[in-house]
Amino acid sequence: SQQGEEDPQALSIQEGENATMNCSYKTSINNLQWYRQNSGRGLVHLILIRSNEREKHSGRLRVTLDTSKKSSSLLITASRAADTASYFCATDEGAQKLVFGQGTRLTINP
Amino acid sequence: EAGVTQSPTHLIKTRGQQATLRCSPISGHTSVYWYQQALGLGLQFLLWYDEGEERNRGNFPPRFSGRQFPNYSSELNVNALELEDSALYLCASSLERGRSNEQFFGPGTRLTVL
C-alpha cells in the first residue's frame, strides 16, 4: 500500500526559482526519507528526518516534518536544470520496509 | 566508496521463464532490500534480507524469492514470469537493522517480459 502521498504530482518552474513538494502519510513513523529519481533509474537518497526532528537542511535542500499533521515538505532553493527528476518521500513504519508515495515530477525550465 | 551495484542493467525474458537479478550492497552494509517499480503502481517493497535470512516480504506471490550470500550480496529470483512482472527492480542496502533504516539504492535492473 502507498503510505505517502506527494503533492503536487507534477511541478514545472523556471531555473533559479524555489520548488516545494509536500508529502502526507497516514500512520506513525520512525523517520521519513526523500529520494530523487532521474528518468526511471535508481533512487538517490537526499535526506532523512527522524520523527523527533522538525527541520533539516542539506545544501540547497530543506525538509520539514510535522508529525501532528502527518506531513513533510521538501524545499529546493535556487533550482537548476539538473534538479529535473521525480521526487519521492518514503516512510519507515517499522519492519524495515519503506513505503513510498507516487512521487512529484519536477521540471526545471532553463 | 562504491555504492550499491546491480546486474544486469537490462533483462529480457519470455513468459514462463525464470529471471535472476543480482545485487551487491555498500561495503559494511548487512541488510539488502528489493523493491519493484512497475508502471502505474509505484515502488513496492518486495523482500528484506539481513545476515543471510529473509526477514520480511511484501505482498508478492511465492514465485518471487531470493537469498543473501555470506558476503551480503543478494539474488532475486522470479519464476514463471508473467507479463505484469515487467518493471524496474531496485535493490537497496542499509547499515544494520534496528537503526535509522537509511536505505541506499542501486541503479536498478529493468526486466521486460515478452
Side-chain angles (χ1 to χ4, degrees):
Chain A
S1 63
Q2 294 296 320
Q3 154 96 303
E5 294 291 334
E6 281 94 344
D7 169 52
Q9 290 187 342
L11 179 62
S12 181
I13 61 173
Q14 294 300 120
E15 194 167 15
E17 293 181 338
N18 295 341
T20 300
M21 289 157 271
N22 302 296
C23 167
S24 60
Y25 56 93
K26 297 187 177 78
T27 64
S28 297
I29 61 171
N30 296 320
N31 60 60
L32 186 146
Q33 302 179 56
W34 284 91
Y35 291 86
R36 184 184 75 228
Q37 185 177 40
N38 293 81
S39 300
R41 297 292 291 166
L43 299 176
V44 175
H45 187 271
L46 295 176
I47 200 163
L48 178 150
I49 186 165
R50 301 180 197 283
S51 59
N52 61 353
E53 296 176 312
R54 291 296 167 260
E55 189 171 308
K56 205 161 181 180
H57 295 81
S58 177
R60 293 184 296 114
L61 306 180
R62 173 178 167 251
V63 168
T64 62
L65 179 65
D66 187 335
T67 53
S68 67
K69 295 181 180 177
K70 290 186 168 59
S71 68
S72 174
S73 68
L74 169 67
L75 168 68
I76 304 174
T77 60
S79 62
R80 304 168 182 169
D83 295 329
T84 295
S86 291
Y87 291 81
F88 295 88
C89 69
T91 51
D92 176 6
E93 306 167 15
Q96 297 298 116
K97 69 175 186 180
L98 294 182
V99 181
F100 287 84
Q102 294 288 351
T104 292
R105 186 185 301 273
L106 175 65
T107 302
I108 309 299
N109 302 303
Chain B
E1 180 184 291
V4 177
T5 59
Q6 291 185 245
S7 64
T9 304
H10 293 92
L11 190 57
I12 300 175
K13 296 284 186 178
T14 56
R15 284 179 61 187
Q17 285 189 314
Q18 179 198 40
T20 298
L21 289 64
R22 297 180 177 82
C23 171
S24 291
I26 291 171
S27 178
H29 285 192
T30 60
S31 279
V32 171
Y33 310 81
W34 288 94
Y35 292 84
Q36 181 197 66
Q37 188 177 29
L39 198 61
L41 294 178
L43 279 145
Q44 306 278 347
F45 169 76
L46 256 170
L47 289 160
W48 167 38
Y49 291 96
D50 182 74
E51 298 288 352
E53 299 284 333
E54 181 182 302
R55 303 293 183 181
N56 196 9
R57 67 180 294 130
N59 188 25
F60 282 84
R63 57 191 186 81
F64 285 84
S65 65
R67 53 182 173 166
Q68 186 179 33
F69 299 99
N71 66 354
Y72 303 114
S73 67
S74 176
E75 264 182 13
L76 173 68
N77 295 294
V78 188
N79 295 319
L81 285 166
E82 300 177 2
L83 296 178
E84 52 264 36
D85 296 334
S86 294
L88 181 68
Y89 289 84
L90 293 164
C91 171
S93 71
S94 69
L95 193 53
E96 60 182 273
R97 59 175 168 155
R99 299 194 44 149
S100 68
N101 195 24
E102 197 166 13
Q103 296 185 15
F104 297 89
F105 285 77
T109 292
R110 185 163 296 282
L111 173 63
T112 302
V113 182
L114 302 175

XYZ file of all heavy atoms in Angstrom, chain B residues 50-110:
487
model
N 18.670 -9.949 5.852
C 19.680 -9.475 6.797
C 20.401 -10.671 7.380
O 19.749 -11.634 7.802
C 19.032 -8.645 7.908
C 20.061 -8.107 8.885
O 20.787 -7.175 8.516
O 20.141 -8.640 10.012
N 21.721 -10.615 7.384
C 22.545 -11.718 7.912
C 22.142 -13.059 7.306
O 22.086 -14.074 8.003
C 22.435 -11.767 9.435
C 22.934 -10.509 10.138
C 24.460 -10.399 10.088
O 25.135 -11.359 9.654
O 24.988 -9.335 10.467
N 21.850 -13.045 6.024
C 21.572 -14.286 5.310
C 20.154 -14.812 5.432
O 19.830 -15.853 4.843
N 19.320 -14.128 6.194
C 17.959 -14.626 6.417
C 16.936 -13.677 5.795
O 17.122 -12.462 5.808
C 17.671 -14.732 7.921
C 18.586 -15.675 8.693
C 18.234 -17.122 8.461
O 17.057 -17.405 8.153
O 19.138 -17.982 8.560
N 15.834 -14.251 5.315
C 14.723 -13.423 4.877
C 13.984 -12.938 6.114
O 13.492 -13.728 6.911
C 13.771 -14.227 3.984
C 12.584 -13.394 3.482
C 11.614 -14.207 2.646
O 12.023 -14.795 1.621
O 10.415 -14.255 3.026
N 13.880 -11.627 6.269
C 13.300 -11.051 7.490
C 11.878 -10.545 7.268
O 11.103 -10.467 8.200
C 14.155 -9.881 7.984
C 15.593 -10.228 8.254
C 15.757 -11.183 9.425
N 17.165 -11.465 9.722
C 17.565 -12.271 10.681
N 16.683 -12.893 11.440
N 18.857 -12.467 10.862
N 11.558 -10.156 6.053
C 10.232 -9.623 5.779
C 9.995 -9.694 4.282
O 10.953 -9.645 3.493
C 10.122 -8.163 6.266
C 8.679 -7.681 6.378
O 7.745 -8.462 6.257
N 8.502 -6.394 6.605
N 8.740 -9.880 3.884
C 8.415 -9.839 2.477
C 7.126 -9.056 2.266
O 6.265 -9.011 3.154
C 8.342 -11.227 1.847
C 7.229 -12.113 2.316
C 7.302 -13.462 1.595
N 7.044 -13.331 0.160
C 7.818 -13.851 -0.804
N 8.909 -14.518 -0.506
N 7.491 -13.708 -2.079
N 7.031 -8.470 1.107
C 5.845 -7.699 0.778
C 4.755 -8.594 0.216
O 4.850 -9.826 0.236
N 3.728 -7.985 -0.300
C 2.569 -8.711 -0.790
C 2.804 -9.201 -2.221
O 2.198 -8.715 -3.181
C 1.333 -7.801 -0.722
C 0.058 -8.551 -1.022
O -0.004 -9.756 -0.836
N -0.935 -7.835 -1.483
N 3.700 -10.162 -2.351
C 4.023 -10.738 -3.659
C 3.908 -12.250 -3.559
O 4.128 -12.833 -2.493
C 5.453 -10.350 -4.069
C 5.566 -8.944 -4.595
C 5.714 -7.884 -3.720
C 5.516 -8.694 -5.954
C 5.800 -6.585 -4.194
C 5.612 -7.398 -6.442
C 5.753 -6.340 -5.548
N 3.583 -12.909 -4.692
C 3.438 -14.373 -4.649
C 4.770 -15.065 -4.405
O 5.845 -14.472 -4.591
C 2.891 -14.701 -6.051
C 3.280 -13.547 -6.897
C 3.288 -12.339 -6.013
N 4.713 -16.345 -4.015
C 5.942 -17.097 -3.678
C 6.908 -17.271 -4.838
O 8.077 -17.609 -4.613
C 5.399 -18.469 -3.228
C 4.000 -18.207 -2.838
C 3.505 -17.103 -3.716
N 6.443 -17.045 -6.075
C 7.388 -17.201 -7.194
C 8.442 -16.086 -7.186
O 9.406 -16.145 -7.935
C 6.633 -17.262 -8.518
C 5.746 -16.079 -8.818
C 4.840 -16.351 -10.022
N 4.113 -15.138 -10.359
C 4.662 -14.167 -11.080
N 5.889 -14.308 -11.561
N 3.978 -13.066 -11.352
N 8.250 -15.097 -6.343
C 9.293 -14.098 -6.092
C 10.064 -14.578 -4.858
O 9.496 -14.685 -3.756
C 8.696 -12.723 -5.805
C 8.159 -12.021 -7.017
C 6.875 -12.288 -7.479
C 8.922 -11.097 -7.705
C 6.367 -11.660 -8.603
C 8.426 -10.443 -8.823
C 7.151 -10.721 -9.273
N 11.319 -14.883 -5.054
C 12.115 -15.368 -3.928
C 13.535 -14.859 -4.088
O 13.880 -14.241 -5.096
C 12.108 -16.896 -3.872
O 12.764 -17.430 -5.014
N 14.336 -15.121 -3.099
C 15.723 -14.683 -3.216
C 16.569 -15.283 -2.137
O 16.138 -16.190 -1.398
N 17.766 -14.790 -2.054
C 18.646 -15.224 -0.988
C 19.746 -14.187 -0.800
O 19.988 -13.349 -1.670
C 19.261 -16.588 -1.294
C 19.955 -16.698 -2.630
C 20.473 -18.099 -2.842
N 21.003 -18.281 -4.187
C 21.761 -19.327 -4.540
N 22.063 -20.261 -3.662
N 22.194 -19.445 -5.780
N 20.392 -14.304 0.358
C 21.527 -13.437 0.647
C 22.723 -14.326 0.953
O 22.622 -15.276 1.738
C 21.234 -12.506 1.827
C 22.345 -11.493 2.056
C 22.048 -10.547 3.220
O 21.412 -10.933 4.194
N 22.513 -9.317 3.104
N 23.832 -13.994 0.371
C 25.043 -14.804 0.500
C 25.901 -14.337 1.691
O 25.669 -13.234 2.223
C 25.846 -14.725 -0.795
C 25.087 -15.253 -1.981
C 24.442 -14.388 -2.842
C 24.995 -16.618 -2.225
C 23.719 -14.859 -3.932
C 24.280 -17.101 -3.307
C 23.641 -16.216 -4.154
N 26.878 -15.149 2.104
C 27.718 -14.768 3.254
C 28.409 -13.419 3.072
O 28.727 -12.755 4.062
C 28.724 -15.917 3.341
C 27.989 -17.094 2.791
C 27.148 -16.544 1.683
N 28.650 -13.004 1.829
C 29.292 -11.697 1.631
C 28.242 -10.576 1.558
O 28.565 -9.446 1.194
C 30.147 -11.702 0.357
C 29.313 -11.862 -0.902
O 28.097 -12.088 -0.841
N 29.968 -11.755 -2.047
N 27.002 -10.886 1.883
C 25.866 -9.960 1.963
C 25.285 -9.573 0.601
O 24.290 -8.852 0.559
C 26.182 -8.698 2.772
C 26.626 -9.012 4.169
C 27.922 -8.740 4.595
C 25.751 -9.621 5.077
C 28.334 -9.057 5.879
C 26.151 -9.934 6.361
C 27.445 -9.656 6.758
O 27.854 -9.971 8.025
N 25.872 -10.046 -0.493
C 25.234 -9.817 -1.781
C 23.946 -10.627 -1.844
O 23.729 -11.533 -1.015
C 26.173 -10.182 -2.932
O 26.417 -11.581 -2.946
N 23.111 -10.313 -2.808
C 21.793 -10.932 -2.831
C 21.358 -11.224 -4.259
O 21.808 -10.586 -5.214
C 20.784 -10.009 -2.151
O 19.459 -10.524 -2.230
N 20.503 -12.204 -4.382
C 19.854 -12.548 -5.642
C 18.352 -12.468 -5.479
O 17.827 -12.850 -4.416
C 20.195 -14.006 -6.013
C 21.338 -14.188 -6.948
C 21.559 -15.648 -7.297
O 20.685 -16.496 -7.014
O 22.613 -15.935 -7.868
N 17.696 -11.993 -6.501
C 16.242 -12.058 -6.559
C 15.881 -12.966 -7.722
O 16.358 -12.773 -8.831
C 15.642 -10.665 -6.785
C 14.134 -10.611 -7.035
C 13.371 -11.000 -5.764
C 13.710 -9.214 -7.498
N 15.071 -13.965 -7.447
C 14.627 -14.890 -8.475
C 13.127 -14.723 -8.691
O 12.360 -14.654 -7.726
C 14.909 -16.332 -8.066
C 16.395 -16.601 -7.958
O 17.110 -16.559 -8.943
N 16.865 -16.850 -6.748
N 12.757 -14.651 -9.933
C 11.340 -14.588 -10.275
C 11.048 -15.763 -11.204
O 11.590 -15.847 -12.307
C 10.955 -13.268 -10.974
C 9.449 -13.177 -11.123
C 11.488 -12.068 -10.196
N 10.241 -16.677 -10.728
C 9.900 -17.869 -11.505
C 8.598 -17.666 -12.269
O 7.789 -16.786 -11.929
C 9.738 -19.079 -10.574
C 11.042 -19.452 -9.905
O 12.093 -19.434 -10.539
N 10.983 -19.764 -8.632
N 8.401 -18.500 -13.302
C 7.143 -18.482 -14.066
C 6.734 -17.056 -14.402
O 5.651 -16.592 -14.027
C 6.053 -19.198 -13.269
N 7.622 -16.365 -15.097
C 7.413 -14.939 -15.378
C 6.080 -14.666 -16.070
O 5.652 -15.416 -16.962
C 8.560 -14.410 -16.246
C 9.881 -14.181 -15.521
C 11.009 -14.007 -16.519
C 9.773 -12.985 -14.582
N 5.471 -13.578 -15.630
C 4.229 -13.103 -16.240
C 4.473 -11.715 -16.819
O 5.416 -11.018 -16.418
C 3.111 -13.063 -15.192
C 2.812 -14.423 -14.582
C 1.758 -14.370 -13.501
O 1.211 -13.268 -13.246
O 1.477 -15.433 -12.898
N 3.625 -11.328 -17.759
C 3.818 -10.039 -18.421
C 3.862 -8.889 -17.425
O 4.657 -7.956 -17.579
C 2.690 -9.795 -19.438
C 2.608 -10.754 -20.618
C 1.416 -10.411 -21.508
C 3.883 -10.726 -21.439
N 3.040 -8.986 -16.392
C 2.975 -7.892 -15.415
C 4.177 -7.823 -14.489
O 4.265 -6.932 -13.651
C 1.685 -7.979 -14.587
C 1.457 -9.317 -13.954
C 0.536 -10.188 -14.808
O 0.605 -10.119 -16.047
O -0.235 -10.953 -14.207
N 5.124 -8.767 -14.635
C 6.370 -8.689 -13.871
C 7.340 -7.697 -14.504
O 8.384 -7.386 -13.905
C 7.042 -10.066 -13.786
C 6.200 -11.076 -13.029
O 5.384 -10.654 -12.170
O 6.341 -12.289 -13.301
N 7.022 -7.213 -15.687
C 7.866 -6.209 -16.325
C 7.916 -4.966 -15.451
O 6.879 -4.381 -15.119
C 7.310 -5.836 -17.704
O 7.381 -6.927 -18.588
N 9.120 -4.583 -15.060
C 9.273 -3.475 -14.114
C 10.750 -3.177 -13.930
O 11.620 -3.921 -14.396
C 8.660 -3.833 -12.756
N 11.005 -2.094 -13.206
C 12.355 -1.792 -12.738
C 12.482 -2.385 -11.341
O 11.656 -2.103 -10.464
C 12.577 -0.280 -12.705
C 13.952 0.211 -12.254
C 15.018 -0.161 -13.285
C 13.929 1.724 -12.038
N 13.478 -3.223 -11.125
C 13.706 -3.843 -9.822
C 14.894 -3.162 -9.169
O 15.992 -3.142 -9.707
C 13.936 -5.349 -9.969
C 12.662 -6.063 -10.351
C 12.264 -6.132 -11.684
C 11.837 -6.610 -9.377
C 11.068 -6.750 -12.035
C 10.642 -7.233 -9.727
C 10.263 -7.289 -11.059
O 9.074 -7.892 -11.398
N 14.620 -2.592 -8.024
C 15.629 -1.823 -7.307
C 16.067 -2.551 -6.050
O 15.247 -3.103 -5.314
C 15.060 -0.449 -6.937
C 14.773 0.480 -8.122
C 13.866 1.619 -7.701
C 16.062 1.024 -8.685
N 17.352 -2.535 -5.840
C 17.941 -3.110 -4.637
C 18.465 -1.956 -3.778
O 18.947 -0.954 -4.310
C 19.078 -4.044 -5.036
S 20.085 -4.641 -3.677
N 18.347 -2.100 -2.485
C 18.864 -1.099 -1.560
C 19.599 -1.799 -0.438
O 19.344 -2.977 -0.153
C 17.727 -0.247 -0.995
N 20.505 -1.087 0.206
C 21.164 -1.660 1.376
C 21.180 -0.639 2.502
O 21.049 0.572 2.275
C 22.594 -2.112 1.042
O 23.467 -1.014 0.843
N 21.277 -1.148 3.696
C 21.396 -0.272 4.856
C 22.380 -0.897 5.833
O 22.681 -2.098 5.769
C 20.042 -0.024 5.527
O 19.569 -1.194 6.150
N 22.821 -0.062 6.782
C 23.923 -0.460 7.650
C 23.559 -1.659 8.507
O 24.250 -2.655 8.542
C 24.327 0.725 8.517
C 25.655 0.598 9.262
C 26.780 0.246 8.313
C 25.963 1.896 9.982
N 22.475 -1.585 9.202
C 22.019 -2.711 10.003
C 20.610 -2.428 10.470
O 20.189 -1.286 10.581
C 22.926 -2.962 11.204
C 23.037 -1.811 12.169
C 23.989 -2.112 13.307
O 23.537 -2.687 14.295
O 25.168 -1.754 13.202
N 19.912 -3.471 10.737
C 18.520 -3.302 11.128
C 18.446 -2.738 12.542
O 19.381 -2.821 13.318
C 17.787 -4.642 11.078
C 18.369 -5.708 11.979
C 17.516 -6.944 11.959
N 18.180 -8.060 12.578
C 17.532 -9.066 13.118
N 16.220 -9.092 13.099
N 18.182 -10.080 13.650
N 17.329 -2.158 12.819
C 17.105 -1.614 14.149
C 17.644 -0.219 14.309
O 17.465 0.399 15.332
N 18.308 0.290 13.266
C 18.807 1.663 13.364
C 17.943 2.558 12.480
O 16.773 2.330 12.320
C 20.272 1.691 12.985
C 21.076 0.809 13.943
C 22.508 0.990 13.883
N 22.966 2.324 13.829
C 24.121 2.668 14.362
N 24.831 1.766 14.996
N 24.565 3.891 14.252
N 18.531 3.544 11.891
C 17.715 4.539 11.194
C 17.072 4.006 9.923
O 16.176 4.621 9.381
C 18.573 5.761 10.848
O 19.533 5.410 9.866
N 17.543 2.849 9.450
C 16.999 2.284 8.215
C 17.146 3.233 7.047
O 16.276 3.332 6.194
C 15.521 1.888 8.398
C 15.046 0.990 7.286
O 15.828 0.318 6.638
N 13.747 0.991 7.049
N 18.265 3.944 7.008
C 18.569 4.800 5.877
C 19.001 3.876 4.743
O 20.020 3.206 4.843
C 19.687 5.755 6.253
C 19.842 6.950 5.337
C 20.737 8.000 5.982
O 21.397 7.689 6.991
O 20.783 9.133 5.465
N 18.193 3.833 3.690
C 18.439 2.879 2.615
C 19.027 3.582 1.402
O 18.554 4.637 0.991
C 17.146 2.166 2.239
C 16.596 1.319 3.369
C 15.379 0.510 2.976
O 15.080 0.342 1.794
N 14.679 -0.018 3.971
N 20.033 2.940 0.808
C 20.711 3.475 -0.362
C 20.489 2.529 -1.525
O 20.717 1.325 -1.389
C 22.206 3.655 -0.056
C 22.457 4.645 1.042
C 22.503 4.232 2.358
C 22.628 5.988 0.756
C 22.718 5.136 3.390
C 22.841 6.909 1.774
C 22.882 6.480 3.093
N 20.082 3.083 -2.642
C 19.622 2.286 -3.759
C 20.655 2.145 -4.865
O 21.492 3.031 -5.087
C 18.351 2.899 -4.363
C 17.124 2.663 -3.533
C 16.895 3.391 -2.384
C 16.205 1.694 -3.906
C 15.762 3.168 -1.609
C 15.066 1.458 -3.144
C 14.848 2.197 -1.989
N 20.555 1.031 -5.574
C 21.341 0.804 -6.773
C 20.631 1.372 -7.984
O 19.528 1.913 -7.869
N 21.235 1.220 -9.172
C 20.672 1.784 -10.393
C 19.491 1.002 -10.960
O 18.776 1.498 -11.823
C 21.845 1.766 -11.370
C 22.694 0.645 -10.878
C 22.557 0.631 -9.391
N 19.302 -0.220 -10.458
C 18.145 -0.992 -10.900
C 18.431 -1.931 -12.048
O 19.406 -1.785 -12.793
N 17.575 -2.943 -12.172
C 17.550 -3.845 -13.323
C 16.172 -3.710 -13.956
O 15.155 -3.898 -13.274
C 17.766 -5.310 -12.902
O 19.099 -5.481 -12.434
C 17.518 -6.247 -14.082
N 16.173 -3.391 -15.237
C 14.886 -3.293 -15.944
C 14.566 -4.646 -16.565
O 15.279 -5.094 -17.463
C 14.906 -2.195 -16.997
C 13.529 -2.004 -17.653
C 13.403 -0.697 -18.374
N 13.489 0.468 -17.514
C 12.519 0.929 -16.741
N 11.352 0.284 -16.711
N 12.690 2.008 -16.009
